[in-house]
Amino acid sequence: MAGVLLQSGPPIEPRLLGPAQIRDLAQRLGVRPTKTLGQNFVHDANTVRRIVADAGIGPDDVVLEVGPGLGSLTLALLTEARRVVTVEIDPVLADQLPRTIAEYAPDHAERVDVVTADAMTVTVADLPAAPTALVANLPYNVAVPVLLHLLAELPTLRTALVMVQMEVAERLAAGPGGRTYGIPSVKARYFGTVSRAGSVGRSVFWPVPKVESGLVRIERHPRVDRPSAERTTVFAVIDAAFGQRRKTLRAALAGWAGGPVEAERRLRAAGIDPTARGETLDIDDYLRLAAVEGSGPGPDHP
């Protein structure tokens, strides 16, 4: 009718994948999950809804998802985020994902970008938009290096909520002095506040993994705006301190500082007991130590 403006309704919410859809997609693609790529596909709609809710993302967020697999989490992210950028190393899965989105979330298909790449080497230049949040079921065999690489490479990331192997979740969120506190714990804290965000049972995955999974949240702090040279120095100190975990810091840092005497001088200048061990220091201690005048690899450091 002339003069009548036809208005379309609101976008139809994405349909989520269940066990039957996951298996059907995998069968059609001839996909057999591999340990090499750390592939375990989530097939429970309630689990992906919970992950998205816990991530706290909103309509202004550009979400980076690593390893989207068959698209379970991707579809759930589209209900909240402005845009979703996925990084998938498997070319078969990367090629299928846009088709899955078109089938299950046709009204949202233009808000998804698929980048076929290795997350361990991806840079900001490889992405079509600067992400503000990382939400991902990370491949368990490379979860920590991928997480640290992305936090270092993508300064626009404000938050991260990642699913990792339970043991890794405990290590990332561990505090100084604990048995599980180590290199991943301290380096993650360089980028932000780290906390546990719950657990995920094995039954929501296909194939069912042999380990439990945990969620870890990182809220970024302003420290990440400092020069990358600082991070290089701080991480070198952390690596040295935990490289000989049973030794005192005076001995453990000797190679890095250029000798035990110089290591002790730097430790005392930073207000740290030279007889302490690396697992007793928090990230602020390592920052002070790295900032001591003359800090950096000493003459005996390779």
Side-chain angles (χ1 to χ4, degrees), residues 69-296:
L70 294 170
S72 300
L73 181 57
T74 315
L75 289 165
L77 288 168
L78 284 171
T79 64
E80 300 294 337
R82 174 167 63 88
R83 190 173 181 181
V84 178
V85 178
T86 66
V87 174
E88 175 59 63
I89 192 174
D90 187 326
V92 173
L93 295 177
D95 184 60
Q96 172 60 36
L97 187 57
R99 301 172 189 170
T100 300
I101 300 300
E103 179 180 354
Y104 286 86
D107 289 357
H108 303 267
E110 294 183 355
R111 297 195 288 112
V112 179
D113 297 284
V114 181
V115 178
T116 307
D118 183 349
M120 278 293 296
T121 60
V122 74
T123 68
V124 65
D126 299 319
L127 304 179
T132 59
L134 170 66
V135 184
N137 172 20
L138 293 178
Y140 288 2
N141 53 342
V142 291
V144 171
V146 165
L147 177 62
L148 295 178
H149 168 74
L150 293 175
L151 288 170
E153 190 67 34
L154 306 173
T156 56
L157 287 175
R158 296 182 294 101
T159 65
L161 183 73
V162 295
M163 181 158 54
V164 295
Q165 184 176 333
M166 181 66 76
E167 181 182 352
V168 174
E170 292 172 347
R171 288 179 180 175
L172 284 169
R179 180 180 57 84
T180 56
Y181 184 71
I183 291 176
S185 320
V186 193
K187 288 185 177 180
R189 277 168 172 70
Y190 178 84
F191 296 102
T193 303
V194 187
S195 61
R196 289 285 304 279
S199 58
V200 179
R202 289 180 284 180
S203 63
V204 303
F205 294 95
W206 177 76
V208 178
K210 295 181 179 179
V211 297
E212 297 293 323
S213 303
L215 296 170
V216 174
R217 180 194 306 281
I218 299 178
E219 297 291 338
R220 199 158 192 154
H221 48 53
R223 179 176 296 140
V224 297
D225 293 331
R226 295 179 180 179
S228 60
E230 179 201 66
R231 184 178 69 252
T232 300
T233 301
V234 173
F235 282 15
V237 181
I238 295 169
D239 289 337
F242 284 93
Q244 302 180 71
R245 188 165 182 145
R246 293 182 178 273
K247 292 188 176 182
T248 66
L249 285 168
R250 183 182 190 275
L253 297 178
W256 168 78
V261 174
E262 175 62 9
E264 180 169 344
R265 182 193 72 79
R266 297 185 187 186
L267 286 161
R268 292 193 182 283
I272 300 169
D273 182 356
T275 65
R277 287 176 169 76
E279 65 264 27
T280 64
L281 273 58
D282 62 22
I283 184 59
D284 290 330
D285 295 321
Y286 284 106
L287 283 164
R288 289 200 315 277
L289 180 56
V292 170
E293 185 178 357
S295 285

